[in-house]
Amino acid sequence: AAIVAARGSAPFADLGDFARRVDARAVNKRAIEQLAAAGAFDAISPDRAAVHAAADSIVREANSAREAALGGQGGLFGAEAPATLAAPRRDGPAVAWSAAERLRREFDAVGFFLTGHPLDDHAAAIRRLKLGDFAAFARAVHRGETTGRLAATVLDRQERRIKSGSKMGVFTLSDPSGHYEAITFQEGLDQWRDLLEKGADVAVTLQGSADGEEVRARIVGVETLDKAAARAAKGLRVFLRDEAPLPSVRERLARRGEGAVSLVLMLGPAEGEIEVKLPGGYAIGAEIAASLRATAGVVAVEVA
């Protein structure tokens, strides 16, 4: 509320403008870190990791501006002092967050995903594997179906003791259609506990039953999404403009597997492209593909 009041009808121009106008007594370091994680500063400083690391600097700037205002130390004829924090000043090393880390912090800050979903990196594999989402599964259960195979991200997990003395696992799962709970009993826990860690992306087989408008789901099969995708994928095509990214590409393809990888050198409109198939087989799951896409100098990565 203090930030909205300070903003009024004039958007903040940059972080310095934000620090000068906001009430330093109402906005602390923790609030700025949470707002950065949620993406509140994206319009003026899109590197969330940098803003998060600069939270102390922003608070110091806000306190300095308040002290100057109280002491009558504004500019000539009361004009505001110029911004000194247009770009965030990191108070320690800060590495840009990966897409997965960005979404995780976003979820921790606001309780749901705003700008994407962890399963987005697996979209091609999900289509190939014909994995559904929970909204479609719930509709199918209300039509009388009982089983479905879905892609999901594990958001939370709990283990509870039941009357028989054995344990039941209660998992909060998520896909782009929403969040839901699914359970599994002792046998399933023993078999899949390591696969259903918080943050894991999985292919789950569910049994569902309708309970009024609600659908109760039980987990009857689990496989990591990377493993399922690796079985379904035939290969990757990595597009490059020059040889500069090759050492990084080689490092990311260190794990052997059954997938084929081709390097496509993009020479230009007149010369066209040259495709070179690499010898041997490679691990080519969604994590590898995402890592290659994030490599400096890689133009694109196609999953075949």
Side-chain angles (χ1 to χ4, degrees):
I3 291 171
V4 171
R7 183 181 60 199
S9 59
F12 298 116
D14 51 41
L15 292 176
D17 186 36
F18 170 84
R20 290 198 320 279
R21 290 162 58 187
V22 78
D23 185 348
R25 296 166 299 178
V27 181
N28 59 23
K29 176 185 175 183
R30 175 64 175 164
I32 290 170
E33 288 176 338
Q34 289 291 87
L35 287 166
F41 293 98
D42 283 3
I44 58 175
S45 189
D47 185 344
R48 296 184 187 181
V51 179
H52 189 278
D56 271 332
S57 294
I58 295 169
V59 171
R60 286 197 297 269
E61 193 92 356
N63 282 318
S64 295
R66 180 171 181 271
E67 290 169 6
L70 291 174
Q73 299 175 18
L76 188 63
F77 305 118
E80 288 187 354
T84 59
L85 195 71
R89 287 199 299 264
R90 305 180 185 210
D91 295 297
V95 178
W97 295 336
S98 67
E101 176 75 358
R102 179 184 171 106
L103 285 171
R104 183 189 68 77
R105 288 177 180 265
E106 186 175 276
F107 180 87
D108 289 344
V110 298
F112 48 89
F113 301 110
L114 284 167
T115 58
H117 193 278
L119 294 179
D120 292 347
D121 283 340
H122 299 275
I126 290 170
R127 286 194 298 271
R128 286 197 307 276
L129 293 165
K130 295 181 172 58
L131 299 176
D133 61 35
F134 189 75
F137 175 71
R139 290 193 296 269
V141 170
H142 282 296
R143 291 196 303 267
E145 298 182 28
T146 58
T147 306
R149 194 159 181 253
L150 286 65
T153 296
V154 182
L155 297 183
D156 200 8
R157 54 177 287 171
Q158 298 178 33
E159 295 187 14
R160 301 172 184 170
R161 189 79 61 180
I162 58 176
K163 289 181 180 179
S164 65
S166 61
K167 286 186 176 180
M168 175 180 74
V170 181
F171 297 89
T172 303
L173 305 178
S174 173
D175 61 40
S177 74
H179 304 166
Y180 59 96
E181 280 192 352
I183 66 167
T184 190
F185 294 103
Q186 186 73 62
E187 184 179 353
L189 269 178
D190 294 342
Q191 189 172 355
W192 304 310
R193 181 182 277 112
D194 292 344
L195 301 182
L196 290 166
E197 292 286 352
K198 186 176 178 180
D201 297 324
V202 292
V204 291
T205 303
L206 300 181
Q207 284 185 347
S209 59
D211 182 9
E213 293 297 314
E214 301 296 319
V215 168
R216 299 189 181 278
R218 177 182 174 186
I219 300 170
V220 294
V222 182
E223 185 178 20
T224 67
L225 203 45
D226 265 347
K227 184 176 179 181
R231 284 192 293 99
K234 296 179 181 178
L236 298 177
R237 299 176 78 217
V238 183
F239 290 80
L240 316 169
R241 295 195 191 281
D242 55 45
E243 72 277 6
L246 288 177
S248 296
V249 170
R250 180 177 183 177
E251 181 181 338
R252 284 159 176 74
L253 292 173
R255 283 196 294 145
R256 291 291 175 173
E258 298 180 1
V261 175
S262 292
L263 302 182
V264 183
L265 182 59
M266 304 168 67
L267 300 175
E271 298 88 348
E273 300 174 346
I274 295 176
E275 183 166 350
V276 179
K277 183 178 179 181
L278 300 182
Y282 302 86
I284 56 169
E287 184 179 347
I288 300 295
S291 176
L292 287 167
R293 288 189 186 99
T295 302
V298 171
V299 178
V301 177
E302 287 184 355
V303 181

